[in-house]
Amino acid sequence: MTPANHRKSPRASDTPPVDTAPATGHRWPAGAVVTGAGRGLGRQIATMLVERGHHVLVTDVDDTAAQQAASELGERATALALDVRDDAAVRGARDRIIAIAGRLDVWVNNAGVLFTGPAWEHDARQRRLMLEVNAIGTMNGTLAAIESMRASGGGQVINIASLAGLTAVPGEGVYAASKHAVMGFSLSTMADLRAAKVKDVHISCICPDGIWTPMLHDRLDDPGAALSFSGKLLQPHEVVTAVGKVLDEPRLVTALPGWRGAVVRFGDLFPALGLALTPFVVRQGERTQRRLRKQQQGRRRLGRR
């Protein structure tokens, strides 16, 4: 995919000062990249980073969505069409934000794809797309970011994983596999960084329950997505708040909500018990789907009056 030109070139007055502060001291906010930022959660994360003073590269495979989001965020946002599966394009995005902002401080891997249903119902294209976008895309972004951060005084990579990266998820088996890959890669890479005596580059994983974003908006009639509705259906701003917290204080794994993280880890300790209890959890999700469908139908009826 050919990258789109950014919305406007930075003026001389927008050029950040030379950073002479020590790597361990306070630094002015510089560049940030958010993938899948054309809409939904990614767009809200980009908004938060702009508000914190970063110049944000708003990337999305949908060029129109990226351009629209960047335009609304103002002069501290630049749009770029990006397919995270393309390693060279991802590295090009990194170089682009460094050219604009002088340094890369934050990289948020948010882009994701979800198909539901038993794994045997997915065709090869669907399986490959989930694994390549969710897992390989996260690897591409993380590696591009840390290469720059190691050379420029540190930075933070935030990987939006999922509770599906911590436990079994009926109806989302391939998606869960891709998110387990994100977790294994992120934690192992952090271990490698520390073994290499790199202490100023951090990787934090956010593992939310189902989030009420476009990814779930059309899943109310989908039995394969029931488990995503079985707990607390999160609002995007709750995940954005969690991202802000790890920006202030990096943390390897943050489960949202915390109690659901404890539950899934308990299930992992006793996998046979976890599998036995899964049908009850799925039924809870199906009840939530029915309730939300009724609410939607009620709003539609009111809208027609």
Side-chain angles (χ1 to χ4, degrees):
M1 179 175 295
T2 302
N5 291 330
H6 63 277
R7 207 171 41 81
K8 59 183 289 187
S9 299
R11 301 186 305 270
S13 60
D14 295 331
T15 304
V18 175
D19 183 10
T20 58
T24 55
H26 175 74
R27 308 199 307 177
W28 44 265
V33 176
V34 184
T35 67
R39 57 177 63 83
L41 176 61
R43 183 168 178 166
Q44 294 196 31
I45 292 172
T47 300
M48 179 266 291
L49 289 169
V50 167
E51 291 171 349
R52 282 177 170 241
H54 294 279
H55 190 112
V56 179
L57 193 63
V58 177
T59 77
D60 202 287
V61 71
D62 183 340
D63 181 35
T64 300
Q67 294 284 349
Q68 179 67 27
S71 176
E72 293 179 2
L73 286 173
E75 65 180 10
R76 287 192 175 274
T78 297
L80 182 71
L82 179 65
D83 185 337
V84 297
R85 297 173 294 176
D86 185 338
D87 182 58
V90 169
R91 291 176 182 276
R94 174 203 61 196
D95 295 343
R96 180 70 167 280
I97 192 62
I98 292 172
I100 294 170
R103 188 186 67 239
L104 173 63
D105 280 348
V106 179
W107 187 293
V108 182
N109 288 302
N110 170 74
V113 176
L114 169 66
F115 296 103
T116 59
W120 59 80
E121 293 183 357
H122 300 317
D123 60 32
R125 182 194 67 84
Q126 292 171 321
R127 293 194 302 270
R128 182 175 294 277
L129 186 61
M130 278 189 279
L131 290 169
E132 289 185 349
V133 172
N134 300 351
I136 300 298
T138 295
M139 293 178 191
N140 289 342
T142 300
L143 295 172
I146 64 177
E147 182 179 48
S148 169
M149 292 171 179
R150 290 184 66 181
S152 62
Q156 296 192 56
V157 176
I158 299 173
N159 292 332
I160 306 299
S162 169
L163 285 183
L166 301 176
T167 191
V169 187
E172 298 179 9
V174 180
Y175 179 79
S178 71
K179 293 300 186 178
H180 273 74
V182 167
M183 296 302 297
F185 167 78
S186 299
L187 298 179
S188 299
T189 302
M190 267 297 293
D192 286 337
L193 286 168
R194 295 301 180 259
K197 310 300 183 186
V198 177
K199 297 182 179 180
D200 53 6
V201 176
H202 305 277
I203 302 174
S204 299
C205 296
I206 306 293
C207 298
D209 208 338
I211 312 169
W212 191 236
T213 64
M215 185 176 281
L216 288 185
H217 288 172
D218 60 351
R219 303 287 180 180
L220 294 181
D221 295 309
D222 184 354
L227 211 59
S228 293
F229 293 86
S230 62
K232 181 183 188 295
L233 195 58
L234 297 166
Q235 296 300 315
H237 71 83
E238 296 176 276
V239 184
V240 174
T241 297
V243 171
K245 287 181 179 179
V246 298
L247 282 173
D248 295 332
E249 187 174 349
R251 183 178 180 182
L252 284 173
V253 181
T254 299
L256 295 174
W259 69 268
R260 284 277 279 186
V263 168
V264 301
R265 288 186 174 103
F266 179 81
D268 287 341
L269 287 174
F270 305 97
L273 176 61
L275 286 175
L277 293 176
T278 294
F280 299 96
V281 182
V282 169
R283 284 198 285 274
Q284 171 59 34
E286 291 170 343
R287 286 192 289 270
T288 301
Q289 286 175 304
R290 288 194 296 271
R291 176 173 57 80
L292 291 173
R293 279 200 305 270
K294 290 180 180 178
Q295 291 177 357
Q296 278 193 351
Q297 291 165 358
R299 285 194 291 269
R300 287 172 186 154
R301 285 194 295 269
L302 287 174
R304 288 196 294 266
R305 291 179 182 176

